[in-house]
Amino acid sequence: MVINITRFWKSNQLVFIGILIILGITSVQITTASYTKQNFIINQDSKVFLDLHSDKNYNGSITVTVTTGAVNATVNGKTKEVVASSSQTFLIVNTSTIYFALASTGYAEGYFEIELNLAINGSGRNPITITIGILAAFLVVLSTVTYYIRAKRMEPKPGEEKDEFLDEETLRRRKEAAGAEKRYLGLDDKI
């Protein structure tokens, strides 16, 4: 069986567009964003800037930039040294606990940028996402079944060929042969 792609696309165009819209909606993560930029000065001590324990998940980043001196930046147990005129970025990926602290053995100053997004459907168990996913799967199955039912109906029966796939010369010869057979058998009154 040969699949005609253009005919398949035209007959199921609305279904494909609907599936693409549903997949687009489910892939977009609903978030509320928070952005903070703050300067810091640390002189031989350590400061905790964020100690968050929540029942909601967060995504985002914390970027520490030092203009003078050097600091040890700690985010969720990961510590990196940041020296003057450089930056370090820490990624926050789907976590409900965020701890951010800076420590220095000398004088240091600079700034940090915190960008956090509250992931409403971070766990992936959002009922809206599940409903849209089930609907998308149903539409895919429905369009596939519809296509195969249409293709099966359009298939020629055994021993039958569709005239639209034959060239003109073959059709002319078949008509002549059928006419000659009718005359031979006496079924054709016109001679």
Side-chain angles (χ1 to χ4, degrees), residues 88-106:
Q88 280 292 346
T89 301
F90 297 88
L91 294 178
I92 309 293
V93 180
N94 209 18
T95 184
S96 60
T97 303
I98 302 172
Y99 177 80
F100 170 53
L102 296 175
S104 176
T105 56

Side-chain angles (χ1 to χ4, degrees), residues 62-162:
I62 298 176
T63 303
V64 179
T65 304
V66 177
T67 54
T68 305
V71 296
N72 287 327
T74 303
V75 175
N76 289 348
K78 294 180 182 177
T79 303
K80 294 182 182 178
E81 183 178 11
V82 187
V83 295
S85 300
S86 67
S87 297
Q88 280 292 346
T89 301
F90 297 88
L91 294 178
I92 309 293
V93 180
N94 209 18
T95 184
S96 60
T97 303
I98 302 172
Y99 177 80
F100 170 53
L102 296 175
S104 176
T105 56
Y107 178 80
E109 67 178 275
Y111 61 93
F112 59 86
E113 298 169 289
I114 300 176
E115 185 174 349
L116 291 178
N117 299 318
L118 178 61
I120 293 175
N121 59 350
S123 66
R125 289 289 192 191
N126 189 344
I128 295 171
T129 305
I130 292 170
T131 304
I132 291 175
I134 291 171
L135 181 63
F138 175 73
L139 286 175
V140 167
V141 168
L142 181 68
S143 66
T144 305
V145 168
T146 304
Y147 171 75
Y148 282 114
I149 289 173
R150 285 182 187 170
K152 204 63 166 160
R153 281 187 192 160
M154 295 179 73
E155 273 184 3
K157 305 224 179 343
E160 175 185 293
E161 289 186 42
K162 291 199 169 194

Side-chain angles (χ1 to χ4, degrees), residues 28 59 127 145 190:
V28 173
N59 295 318
V145 168
K190 298 176 186 176

Side-chain angles (χ1 to χ4, degrees), residues 4-16 150:
N4 188 344
I5 300 296
T6 56
R7 188 182 317 168
F8 181 72
W9 170 253
K10 286 179 183 177
S11 65
N12 295 313
Q13 189 172 10
L14 289 176
V15 175
F16 283 125
R150 285 182 187 170

